[in-house]
Amino acid sequence: MEQKYKCPECGGVLSQNGNIVFLVENETKNRALLQLSTRLGEYGPKNKLPFRFDVGDKFSFYCPLCQTSLDCDTHSDLVKVEMEDESDHKYEVCFSRVAGEESTYRIYGKKVEAYGEDAGKYTHVFKDLELDK
C-alpha cells in the first residue's frame, strides 16, 4: 500500500499510482495540472506543463477537486497537504512552492522530518518542533 495524500479542506484523495496531482497557477495566472511523486524527497514534475517556467518562479497550489488554496499557514512559500502512511498514521506535509527548491517537511505531533537539499531554508518556521533529519 502506498502513502495517501489528501486535501486538508475537502479530504479528497490527491494521490494515485505513486503520483500526487495538484492544480497549479503561475504568476501570470496560467493554470495546469501538475503531477509530483508521492515519495518524500523526490523532486521534479512527472508531467510537462503547458507553459514555460524558470527556477525561482512561484506557483500557487490548489486542490484539483475543490479548488481550495493549499497555502501553509507557517510560511507563504510553503504548501500543505495531509498524508496517511501504510500504517494509517496521519501527517501534515509542507513543501516549497518555488520551482527548483527542494524542501519538504513531514510533521507528526511535535516532530518534523526535513527532506531535500534546500530544507534548511525553512526549518526556522518549525522552531517549536523537534527537527529530525
Side-chain angles (χ1 to χ4, degrees):
M1 184 177 145
E2 66 179 37
Q3 300 159 334
K4 191 183 303 180
Y5 288 83
K6 296 181 175 182
C7 171
E9 182 66 26
C10 73
V13 177
L14 306 176
S15 57
Q16 185 176 12
N17 299 325
N19 295 319
I20 180 170
V21 178
F22 298 100
L23 176 63
V24 294
E25 181 178 87
N26 67 7
E27 294 168 341
T28 58
K29 305 296 182 199
N30 292 310
R31 286 186 164 202
L33 291 177
L34 172 66
Q35 293 180 34
L36 299 175
S37 174
T38 57
R39 294 185 61 188
L40 297 174
E42 190 172 293
Y43 297 97
K46 297 191 85 177
N47 65 311
K48 185 171 170 65
L49 294 177
F51 47 79
R52 188 177 134 352
F53 65 93
D54 296 313
V55 170
D57 287 354
K58 293 182 184 181
F59 289 93
S60 296
F61 280 71
Y62 300 93
C63 171
L65 305 171
C66 72
Q67 311 287 303
T68 298
S69 172
L70 298 173
D71 290 346
C72 185
D73 52 4
T74 56
H75 195 283
S76 63
D77 283 346
L78 296 177
V79 174
K80 177 176 71 175
V81 292
E82 295 176 349
M83 183 190 93
E84 288 180 18
D85 68 11
E86 300 81 10
S87 303
D88 290 329
H89 292 112
K90 293 177 179 25
Y91 302 86
E92 184 176 282
V93 174
C94 297
F95 61 93
S96 175
R97 73 174 67 247
V98 181
E101 247 182 33
E102 296 182 353
S103 52
T104 305
Y105 310 90
R106 183 172 74 168
I107 303 150
Y108 182 72
K110 289 289 188 182
K111 292 188 177 210
V112 61
E113 290 179 275
Y115 299 83
E117 62 182 60
D118 300 313
K121 183 172 182 179
Y122 301 104
T123 53
H124 68 281
V125 303
F126 304 107
K127 65 181 183 278
D128 296 333
L129 303 176
E130 181 183 329
L131 185 62
D132 212 6
K133 289 188 179 182

